[in-house]
Amino acid sequence: MSATNQHLYLSHRPRRLRRTESLRLMVQENQLTVNDLIYPLFVMEGEKIQQPISSMVDCYRYSLDLLLKEIEEVSNLGIKAIALFPYIEDDKKDNEGKETYNPNGLVQRTVKAIKTKIPQIIVITDIALDPYSIYGHDGIVKDGQILNDETVEALVKMALSHAEAGADIVAPSDMMDGRIGAIRQALDQEGWLDTSILAYSAKYASAYYGPFRDALASSPQFGDKKTYQMDIANSREAIREVALDIKEGADMVMVKPALAYLDIIQQIRQYTNLPVVAYNVSGEYSMIKAASQRGWIDEELVVLETLTSMKRAGANLILTYFAKQIAPQLTKN
Ligand code: PBG
């Protein structure tokens, strides 16, 4: 078949719009930008410490001094927000999470320092007891059960103390019932009207959190998290959780993990007009790093493809350990 003589008479040739890079960019439907990224960071006590995490290549636990440097770099790359996770030493752990609302605790000091030195960066703090719990559970334990209402009381104190330290957004990741409403009410009562709540609404009892638990030494000491985190097989339940959190006052809702739950992201996007956040969790990160280290995949391309899939599914924002590494490749606006 030559170009002039014989050819098919097709009313549509989708390949026409894929012919050149410029055409492809003109018709591109979704684009990842630095504004979409939230960078999770691990902080620990001490000075001049940058401690590798063996199951999370290129991720570190930082002491506050070096954390500030890291955040400075990240902010210069155009990233707008970080999510802070503390490594808590054993002697500060208990069952009730008393350290969670210590005004001079690690998170509180860290948030204050960040907001003083790098005020433009949005600071998101995690609200849950697990890094502080001797049992590695997100709530208070009694007779092998995770208590709901008692835990919510502790989470409220934790959220207030983070707001007081200067957190822009508090992010309850615990999955206790009623915590969003309780936290919103307490924040309002205390005058923290501008402190936002990012609700980990559809958080699944996932095996993808393994490396994160290494990073914080926060693995459950007994059982699993299935009495509070969601069943991996469910999707209608995700809508129910999101509906409750919105009713209780969430400003943004999250789906976690992201990659194995793209269908949930898509459904939540259709359900609500609030910003939808996807958490590209530690296990998703480490799988890519591991395959890349073996030379089995092109890391840069796979990261871009993975994060773009989350945007395509409907996520407005993505929490990802790849944020710093990918930022230079993305458009700033
Ligand atoms: C704690 C929390 C977890 C993650 C974020 N906050 C772990 C868990 O629920 O066990 C996991 C993040 C990741 O794997 O990257 N509530």
Side-chain angles (χ1 to χ4, degrees):
M1 223 180 267
S2 82
T4 45
N5 298 334
Q6 281 184 305
H7 53 77
L8 298 171
Y9 287 88
L10 300 179
S11 49
H12 292 283
R13 288 183 181 269
R15 289 187 54 193
R16 262 179 217 134
L17 296 182
R18 293 183 208 132
R19 195 170 50 83
T20 70
E21 178 76 6
S22 299
L23 277 166
R24 289 193 292 273
L25 283 171
M26 280 174 74
V27 298
Q28 190 169 67
E29 296 174 36
N30 294 285
Q31 210 171 27
L32 192 66
T33 81
V34 280
N35 297 337
D36 306 326
L37 304 176
I38 300 170
Y39 191 37
L41 280 164
F42 302 110
V43 64
M44 65 184 290
E45 293 288 358
E47 268 176 59
K48 298 197 172 67
I49 302 175
Q50 179 175 351
Q51 209 172 64
I53 299 159
S54 57
S55 54
M56 296 181 76
V57 177
D58 300 333
C59 281
Y60 302 89
R61 301 181 195 98
Y62 294 97
S63 55
L64 179 53
D65 49 347
L66 298 189
L67 183 88
L68 290 170
K69 279 193 183 163
E70 177 73 3
I71 296 175
E72 198 100 50
E73 279 179 39
V74 160
S75 176
N76 289 338
L77 289 171
I79 291 172
K80 308 289 180 297
I82 59 125
L84 203 57
F85 296 98
Y87 176 90
I88 301 297
E89 276 147 24
D90 278 346
D91 62 350
K92 297 257 165 55
K93 296 188 183 188
D94 60 22
N95 182 27
E96 298 82 26
K98 284 197 280 295
E99 182 65 14
T100 60
Y101 48 88
N102 174 359
N104 294 312
L106 177 60
V107 168
Q108 288 81 355
R109 276 181 283 124
T110 303
V111 173
K112 265 180 225 161
I114 299 170
K115 293 309 296 188
T116 308
K117 299 241 164 71
I118 316 156
Q120 74 277 13
I121 202 93
I122 300 291
V123 177
I124 304 174
T125 58
D126 196 60
I127 305 295
L129 302 193
D130 49 328
Y132 300 84
S133 159
I134 42 173
Y135 299 113
H137 275 288
D138 291 30
I140 299 169
V141 176
K142 193 180 172 197
D143 304 328
Q145 310 280 323
I146 315 303
L147 301 178
N148 191 86
D149 300 16
E150 292 80 349
T151 299
V152 170
E153 230 176 279
L155 297 173
V156 164
K157 290 187 202 162
M158 187 178 188
L160 284 175
S161 120
H162 289 185
E164 206 169 304
D168 299 284
I169 301 176
V170 291
S173 69
D174 55 287
M175 291 299 279
M176 297 301 123
D177 293 333
R179 88 278 205 222
I180 301 299
I183 290 172
R184 185 68 270 162
Q185 199 182 0
L187 287 172
D188 285 1
Q189 253 164 22
E190 298 296 317
W192 302 111
L193 305 183
D194 288 334
T195 308
S196 306
I197 301 178
L198 161 56
Y200 283 65
S201 300
K203 176 169 178 180
Y204 286 86
S206 168
Y208 281 97
Y209 309 147
F212 175 95
R213 293 175 186 170
D214 290 344
L216 296 187
S218 64
S219 294
Q221 297 304 299
F222 68 88
D224 51 41
K225 298 193 174 184
K226 289 181 182 169
T227 68
Y228 45 106
Q229 298 180 348
M230 286 177 44
D231 187 332
I232 58 164
N234 293 355
S235 60
R236 290 192 298 270
E237 193 184 358
I239 308 273
R240 186 169 178 233
E241 284 284 3
V242 166
L244 286 169
D245 286 353
I246 293 174
K247 215 175 185 177
E248 292 176 31
D251 296 288
M252 302 190 235
V253 292
M254 192 194 287
V255 175
K256 174 182 175 189
L259 193 53
Y261 298 85
L262 293 176
D263 57 324
I264 307 298
I265 295 173
Q266 189 169 32
Q267 287 182 56
I268 302 298
R269 172 68 290 154
Q270 278 160 14
Y271 176 80
T272 177
N273 290 324
L274 294 187
V276 175
V277 184
Y279 198 146
N280 174 223
V281 300
S282 58
E284 300 170 43
Y285 172 83
S286 297
M287 289 193 305
I288 291 180
K289 284 286 177 186
S292 154
Q293 276 189 324
R294 294 187 173 206
W296 290 348
I297 54 170
D298 181 325
E299 179 172 333
E300 207 171 293
L301 293 178
V302 168
V303 171
L304 189 63
E305 185 172 340
T306 304
L307 299 181
T308 302
S309 78
M310 293 162 197
K311 277 222 78 176
R312 197 184 61 234
N316 303 97
L317 296 166
I318 305 170
L319 256 130
T320 177
Y321 304 96
F322 289 115
K324 187 185 179 192
Q325 124 178 24
I326 196 149
Q329 297 167 50
L330 305 179
T331 37
K332 281 194 198 186
N333 43 6

